[in-house]
Amino acid sequence: MFHIKQLELVHWDYWRRFNLPLDAQIITIVGPNGSGKTTLLDALRTLFGLRCSGKRDFRRYVRRANRSFAWIRAVVANRPGSTGKRPFFPCLKDEVTLACRIRRAGGDWTRDYAIADGDVPIEALEANEDRAVEWVGYRDYQSRLAWGGLTPAIAKVLALEQGDTDKLCEYSPKALLELVFDVFGDKEVLDNYAAAQEEQNNAEKELAALGLDLDRLRAQAETKRLEADRFLEWKQLDDEARALAAEIIPRLETTELERDIRLARDELGRSRQEHQRSEDELRRLREHGKGVEAEKAAAEARRNTARQHDLEAEKRHLAAHDEVRDAEKLLAERSALRTRLAREAGDAAVDLEAAHAKADARLLHLQRQEREAIAAFEDKTAQLRAAREHRSPPADADVARFRSRLKAEGIGHRALAEIIEVTDPDWQGAVEAVLRPYRSVLLLDREQDRHAAWALGEAERFRHFIVPELEMAPPATRGSLAEVIRFADAIPRWLADLLNRIQRVDDADAARRLPRETEWITRDGYHRERRGARHLGKPTDFHFGELARGARMKQLDADMHSIDARLRALRPELDAAKEDADALRARLHGIEAAQLLSARADDFDNAERTLPDARARLTAAIADRAEAKGELERIEQSLRGIDIEIDRRRRDTDSLARRVQELASEAAPRRRDQAKRILNLRRLRRGMPADWRDPAANALLIDKYDGARGARAELERLRQRLAGGEWVTDDTVLTLAGRLKADVNDREAQYAERERHCSAARRITGEARAAYIAKLRATVRQYGKNLRALGDLANVDVDCPVPALDNDDRALASAGLEVRFDFDRKGAVGLNDGEASGGQQVMKSLILLIALLMDEARPGGFVFIDEPFAHLDIANIDRVGTFLRATRAQYLITTPVTHNANVFAPAQLTLVTRKKKPGDDWAPPIGLIQRAM
């Protein structure tokens, strides 16, 4: 329902003219007795077409102003409700003006009402130049307000006498039920029921007299009726047997043939679809076979490339062999010069040259150690920084180079060591020992990158696994090695199987209790598998998990201190070796052989220095050649796997081709059977009436006889029954039975006429009683629902049971509405049992009053309450105020000036009225106090 936003009065009582804003939820009207609080509420009642309080009416107020006219104008809300409709449609603005114009006419006062769209002032309403405002009478205006939400039920509550609104809890249960009926229901249904019952009693007496005479005539007609029924039963069975043989069985056979044809057609369609799918699958397999053939060709190309790499490795091996041979030749030449030096200058010179060579070699050795120590210190520093920044474990150069290539190609990946965390430090060594061969395994982020990654791996001869197929780790087997490992991402299936397969035992002796085929490992890394048991070696450098990172950081820090100590000890030795080499070089100056040795010392030293590297390159070349041969062997093994895959696909293709052939061969007999069924159907349909083909009627026949087989069985049963029974076959019995039945019908018509009258009386009586009981129950349920909703807002448990409604006039007339309230969980109290305090009495009356105004279809609205805070203490005043704020209605509350200030706490707007001073023509304007929100 709508709420009031503004009120304007002209010449009402002792007020000349004023305009009040009322756009607030709780409005308090305060003033001394006789200052016009009720007068203001009566103005609103007059505007809304309600009775004024007490014995007053609108004429009393307009006569006091001593003017020929008066105006009451209000602006109310016109916002759409929950259904989207506006209360005063077709008014489409959010505000609507309601106006009451009161004028003197012929010695009496008349009032006219108007509803205008928007906020229209009194002057515009009076002028009404464009005839936009239509003035209507009191009845039409009330109907229009009812459409807007001010229904007659709400109007009755708003027109309650002053003082009754806060004394509803003093009503008796019967009086409260009458009030609720007066608002929600219709008490006239009980009067209608009493009149209907009297009419029923009179009709039943007349009906009993006619019934005795009718029973005598029915007994005479019953004998002939039985004979006529026997004839009709024979006729019905005979007709049904004829219909089964001539019509029903052919129709059912035709329907079943049609059904079989449809099923066979669907089966043939499914067979064709399966044949088509099989052919498509066969074509797909053949295309995939071509792809595998292409993969084989690519593998063969890789094999050719591997063979080329093998030839290149052989060339590098020969070149390294020649380099080692040349270096050894130079060293042999130096030995010859030293022998010559011994012959020319004696053994002392040789010893001197040997000492010089030894000092020079020692100097070079110490310089190389210094460079290596510095490089190792820088490398350890970089590794320690990476470990502190939580980077991946250190990998060898080949792995780092290959990962750089993958990153450059945009192939996302991560190392296996980056996603594994060991949860039990005691088993770190065992985990490291098992996973040592897989430290550098690379896991691809996207499976579709596998071919590109494999191509790079082939080009780089990457020796570690590249795994594209990943899945989330399954739950760890109890007691397995996987139980002490946590994975941060998806892993290869084979790794999960490996770790779940290995059981943890404390030592080899503890493994006795395990089954013989169980694979196990000890904390020390002693591992048993299907090939036997061995010690895997407990690694000193950890790669997996946070413990490995901490151990690496600790070891790197120790290595850096060791290298730094070695550098500090090496540098004094380096300086001393340099001084010794310089002194020996000066002593050798001047000897010819020595000069030759000195002149070619760089070549000899270079040969001696490069000989280990050359030998290392020779060893590497030998290893590269072995690796190239291994790569070639792997490619050939892959080719063997491709050949196996080609053979498997060939077998699948041959099997599917046989299935296609089988489907093609099975379809031919089915099509022949279908053709036979179609020919039979055409034969049965030839000459058949069109209505025999009605699918709905044939479906009913199938349900009735359960198909043609059931119809034939029913025909045989009917023939046996006709042949074995004693039947009346003379149709004259129908004439005799008809005459007696006509007599009975005439008498029954008279009886039925009186019975209809009696039934109508009973029905009217029952409907009147049912309407009264239904209306009573619905009214109590709706009112009880409203009471409970308001009780929840007031934190009061309210119980309103439906009264006992027996099918008895006195019980219905004495029914009452028992409402019980439970304040603060102290026990339920009734309406007026003297158990409640004064504040609780007011709260009960407010709940009973507001429940009368609640309407789920039109929430909101406004309520007039006279002095609800009388005789209340501060706590109860606050409680009543809190309850009012919790509801959604608009309240206009009067209160005298003697009340506690807490009565103004819930109000957003307070109106202050004052008495008219003696000698003044008009009362002072109403004061306005608005709370700042």
Side-chain angles (χ1 to χ4, degrees):
M1 196 174 75
F2 58 88
H3 70 273
I4 310 167
K5 303 181 70 173
Q6 182 183 340
L7 175 66
E8 185 176 7
L9 299 178
V10 177
H11 298 161
W12 181 259
D13 198 69
Y14 290 115
W15 289 313
R16 174 178 290 177
R17 181 171 185 173
F18 62 83
N19 194 333
L20 291 176
L22 298 180
D23 192 10
Q25 181 192 4
I26 300 176
I27 302 169
T28 302
I29 306 172
V30 59
N33 295 333
S35 62
K37 299 188 295 297
T38 305
T39 301
L40 183 61
L41 293 181
D42 282 346
L44 287 170
R45 290 189 177 101
T46 301
L47 176 64
F48 296 130
L50 308 175
R51 292 184 294 104
C52 295
S53 61
K55 297 181 180 180
R56 306 175 183 180
D57 64 356
F58 73 96
R59 298 175 182 84
R60 172 180 182 273
Y61 294 110
V62 297
R63 280 198 299 266
R64 285 188 172 184
N66 198 20
R67 294 292 188 273
S68 61
F69 67 95
W71 283 86
I72 307 173
R73 184 185 75 93
V75 178
V76 299
N78 188 34
R79 294 186 177 275
S82 59
T83 60
K85 296 182 179 180
R86 296 180 181 270
F88 294 96
F89 183 82
C91 296
L92 300 179
K93 294 182 180 180
D94 290 340
E95 294 180 348
V96 167
T97 299
L98 305 180
C100 175
R101 182 179 61 188
I102 304 173
R103 295 181 294 185
R104 190 191 298 273
D108 196 6
W109 295 92
T110 61
R111 50 182 173 173
D112 300 316
Y113 291 90
I115 300 175
D117 198 2
D119 187 355
V120 183
I122 291 176
E123 289 75 13
L125 291 172
E126 182 67 18
N128 199 14
E129 296 176 353
D130 54 357
R131 301 295 179 183
V133 179
E134 179 182 3
W135 293 95
V136 297
Y138 178 75
R139 300 299 179 189
D140 294 337
Y141 178 71
Q142 281 187 324
S143 299
R144 188 68 180 87
L145 288 181
W147 279 102
L150 187 58
T151 61
I154 295 178
K156 290 178 181 179
V157 177
L158 293 175
L160 287 175
E161 293 294 333
Q162 180 178 3
D164 285 351
T165 56
D166 59 350
K167 294 182 180 178
L168 288 178
C169 66
E170 299 178 3
Y171 279 35
S172 66
K174 180 174 177 60
L176 180 60
L177 182 62
E178 290 177 355
L179 176 61
V180 172
F181 250 105
D182 196 37
V183 173
F184 290 97
D186 185 6
K187 201 172 68 174
E188 293 180 359
V189 294
L190 184 61
D191 299 332
N192 294 338
Y193 167 63
Q197 190 177 36
E198 183 179 358
E199 179 67 19
Q200 175 190 343
N201 292 334
N202 295 333
E204 287 178 347
K205 292 178 181 178
E206 296 179 5
L207 185 65
L210 288 174
L212 294 175
D213 187 40
L214 180 60
D215 289 339
R216 289 192 296 268
L217 186 59
R218 282 175 176 170
Q220 298 174 4
E222 181 64 19
T223 303
K224 290 299 180 184
R225 183 192 67 79
L226 293 175
E227 295 178 1
D229 288 344
R230 195 66 177 164
F231 169 78
L232 292 176
E233 184 179 3
W234 171 82
K235 180 66 174 173
Q236 179 182 3
L237 294 176
D238 184 71
D239 291 343
E240 185 175 357
R242 294 175 185 273
L244 281 170
E247 175 183 354
I248 295 175
I249 291 177
R251 290 176 66 175
L252 292 177
E253 290 176 348
T254 302
T255 302
E256 289 180 355
L257 266 178
E258 290 175 347
R259 181 197 61 198
D260 294 339
I261 290 171
R262 285 195 302 272
L263 294 176
R265 186 183 297 116
D266 294 340
E267 183 65 25
L268 287 172
R270 285 192 294 271
S271 178
R272 283 194 298 271
Q273 292 175 358
E274 184 180 359
H275 183 269
Q276 184 63 41
R277 286 196 301 270
S278 300
E279 286 186 340
D280 294 341
E281 180 66 18
L282 181 61
R283 185 164 50 253
R284 185 183 65 81
L285 286 177
R286 287 171 176 168
E287 291 175 356
H288 287 182
K290 294 179 181 178
V292 176
E293 293 287 349
E295 187 177 354
K296 179 180 178 181
E300 291 176 347
R302 290 198 301 273
R303 181 175 61 183
N304 295 333
T305 302
R307 287 174 177 171
Q308 184 65 29
H309 289 167
D310 184 31
L311 294 176
E312 293 175 357
E314 184 178 2
K315 291 179 181 179
R316 287 194 297 271
H317 171 248
L318 294 176
H321 181 269
D322 293 342
E323 186 178 359
V324 170
R325 182 196 61 198
D326 294 341
E328 290 177 345
K329 183 179 180 181
L330 281 174
L331 292 178
E333 198 174 330
R334 184 182 66 177
S335 299
L337 285 174
R338 286 179 176 175
T339 303
R340 179 184 171 190
L341 178 63
R343 287 197 305 269
E344 293 178 353
D347 294 336
V350 175
D351 294 339
L352 183 62
E353 192 279 333
H356 172 263
K358 183 177 180 181
D360 198 22
R362 183 170 180 270
L363 176 61
L364 292 175
H365 177 68
L366 291 174
Q367 288 175 344
R368 184 165 56 253
Q369 284 186 341
E370 183 187 27
R371 288 193 300 272
E372 290 175 354
I374 292 173
F377 187 85
E378 292 177 352
D379 181 59
K380 298 295 182 182
T381 303
Q383 292 183 26
L384 181 60
R385 187 181 303 110
R388 286 174 177 168
E389 294 175 358
H390 296 274
R391 298 181 187 171
S392 59
D396 58 35
D398 292 340
V399 176
R401 183 174 61 257
F402 184 69
R403 294 190 69 179
S404 299
R405 287 291 306 276
L406 289 177
K407 185 176 181 181
E409 294 295 332
I411 299 175
H413 67 282
R414 62 177 62 188
L416 179 62
E418 296 175 5
I419 65 170
I420 290 181
E421 179 66 37
V422 181
T423 59
D424 190 345
D426 293 341
W427 288 94
Q428 180 80 33
V431 172
E432 293 281 349
V434 171
L435 298 183
R436 178 160 45 190
Y438 313 113
R439 287 177 175 177
S440 301
V441 170
L442 299 183
L443 311 177
L444 299 182
D445 292 345
R446 299 186 304 273
E447 187 176 353
Q448 56 267 31
D449 291 338
R450 62 186 184 280
H451 295 292
W454 290 341
L456 283 177
E458 178 187 23
E460 293 291 330
R461 298 185 179 182
F462 188 63
R463 295 180 293 107
H464 305 283
F465 291 113
I466 302 173
V467 185
E469 298 87 1
L470 305 176
E471 61 184 45
M472 297 308 296
T477 303
R478 184 175 181 84
S480 67
L481 197 58
E483 197 174 22
V484 298
I485 296 176
R486 184 175 69 248
F487 299 101
D489 206 340
I491 61 170
R493 178 70 183 186
W494 55 263
L495 179 61
D497 295 341
L498 171 66
L499 296 174
N500 278 303
R501 188 170 64 243
I502 301 175
Q503 288 290 314
R504 292 177 289 120
V505 294
D506 291 335
D507 50 34
D509 188 62
R512 293 176 182 271
R513 67 180 184 277
L514 298 176
R516 185 172 183 178
E517 66 278 3
T518 303
E519 187 174 344
W520 49 264
I521 191 170
T522 66
R523 297 178 190 271
D524 191 47
Y526 195 72
H527 180 216
R528 190 269 178 191
E529 57 170 326
R530 59 182 178 84
R531 296 176 295 183
R534 62 170 178 166
H535 196 283
L536 298 179
K538 197 167 183 181
T540 58
D541 54 334
F542 293 164
H543 273 63
F544 299 96
E546 187 64 25
L547 184 62
R549 175 175 168 270
R552 285 198 305 273
M553 291 174 60
K554 184 177 180 181
Q555 184 62 41
L556 288 171
D557 189 63
D559 292 345
M560 289 176 62
H561 282 82
S562 176
I563 294 171
D564 185 61
R566 192 171 65 189
L567 280 172
R568 287 198 302 269
L570 185 63
R571 281 166 180 154
E573 295 181 14
L574 184 62
D575 295 338
K578 187 175 183 181
E579 291 178 0
D580 293 341
D582 292 342
L584 291 171
R585 189 179 298 110
R587 293 174 61 187
L588 283 173
H589 187 65
I591 301 175
E592 182 180 2
Q595 290 178 358
L596 290 175
L597 286 171
S598 178
R600 300 187 64 186
D602 291 340
D603 295 336
F604 296 146
D605 293 340
N606 185 45
E608 185 177 14
R609 186 173 58 255
T610 60
L611 180 59
D613 294 338
R615 287 173 176 168
R617 283 193 291 275
L618 177 60
T619 303
I622 294 172
D624 289 344
R625 187 176 182 185
E627 183 180 357
K629 288 185 178 297
E631 179 67 18
L632 182 60
E633 178 63 26
R634 285 194 296 272
I635 293 175
E636 290 178 348
Q637 184 177 0
S638 176
L639 276 170
R640 289 193 291 272
I642 292 175
D643 290 337
I644 294 173
E645 178 67 15
I646 289 175
D647 183 64
R648 184 185 64 80
R649 290 183 180 274
R650 186 179 294 111
R651 290 197 303 271
D652 293 344
T653 302
D654 294 342
S655 175
L656 194 58
R658 287 193 298 272
R659 176 59 180 164
V660 171
Q661 184 62 31
E662 289 173 1
L663 290 173
S665 60
E666 290 173 359
R670 293 179 180 176
R671 287 195 292 269
R672 287 193 295 271
D673 294 339
Q674 179 74 341
K676 292 179 181 179
R677 284 190 288 268
I678 293 174
L679 291 175
N680 290 337
L681 178 64
R682 291 175 180 173
R683 178 180 56 79
L684 288 174
R685 279 185 173 179
R686 192 175 296 116
M688 183 178 288
D691 59 340
W692 286 17
R693 303 180 185 180
D694 184 15
N698 291 338
L700 293 176
L701 291 176
I702 291 175
D703 292 338
K704 181 177 180 181
Y705 296 101
D706 196 17
R709 182 189 299 272
R712 285 190 288 269
E714 179 67 13
L715 176 61
E716 183 63 24
R717 185 188 67 80
L718 291 176
R719 286 174 176 172
Q720 292 178 1
R721 185 177 177 186
L722 288 171
E726 294 181 0
W727 305 100
V728 177
T729 58
D730 187 5
D731 59 353
T732 56
V733 69
L734 295 177
T735 304
L736 297 176
R739 291 176 181 175
L740 288 174
K741 185 177 181 180
D743 295 337
V744 172
N745 289 339
D746 292 339
R747 195 67 52 83
E748 284 180 346
Q750 300 175 11
Y751 183 84
E753 180 65 26
R754 301 309 304 169
E755 189 176 34
R756 280 193 298 272
H757 179 70
C758 185
S759 297
R762 293 193 194 99
R763 186 183 68 255
I764 293 172
T765 303
E767 289 175 352
R769 184 189 297 109
Y772 175 74
I773 295 174
K775 187 63 178 178
L776 180 59
R777 287 174 176 165
T779 301
V780 173
R781 279 196 300 269
Q782 179 62 37
Y783 188 63
K785 180 180 178 182
N786 296 348
L787 290 175
R788 285 188 292 273
L790 293 174
D792 290 341
L793 294 178
N795 196 22
V796 178
D797 289 337
V798 183
D799 183 25
C800 181
V802 178
L805 302 176
D806 296 330
N807 194 7
D808 180 74
D809 293 343
R810 289 174 296 179
L812 293 176
S814 62
L817 187 60
E818 294 287 347
V819 182
R820 301 189 65 79
F821 301 82
D822 188 0
F823 292 88
D824 303 325
R825 305 296 188 271
K826 295 180 179 179
V829 296
L831 288 174
N832 192 23
D833 54 4
E835 295 293 332
S837 64
Q840 292 174 350
Q841 290 288 93
V842 173
M843 186 65 71
K844 289 195 293 184
S845 296
L846 286 176
I847 291 175
L848 294 172
L849 170 65
I850 297 171
L852 293 171
L853 299 172
M854 291 178 65
D855 187 354
E856 293 181 354
R858 297 183 178 95
F862 48 87
V863 185
F864 305 146
I865 307 177
D866 266 334
E867 299 184 2
F869 301 102
H871 309 297
L872 296 185
D873 59 8
I874 295 175
N876 281 316
I877 289 174
D878 292 340
R879 186 172 186 178
V880 173
T882 302
F883 168 72
L884 295 178
R885 281 194 300 269
T887 59
R888 293 186 294 174
Q890 183 183 27
Y891 297 94
L892 284 85
I893 303 169
T894 63
T895 180
V897 294
T898 57
H899 272 173
N900 186 281
N902 288 25
V903 301
F904 305 105
Q908 290 90 15
L909 187 65
T910 300
L911 307 180
V912 182
T913 59
R914 292 174 290 175
K915 291 185 178 181
K916 184 176 77 69
K917 296 180 180 180
D920 292 349
D921 294 333
W922 304 102
I926 295 178
L928 178 67
I929 302 174
Q930 188 167 7
R931 186 185 302 275
M933 302 302 292

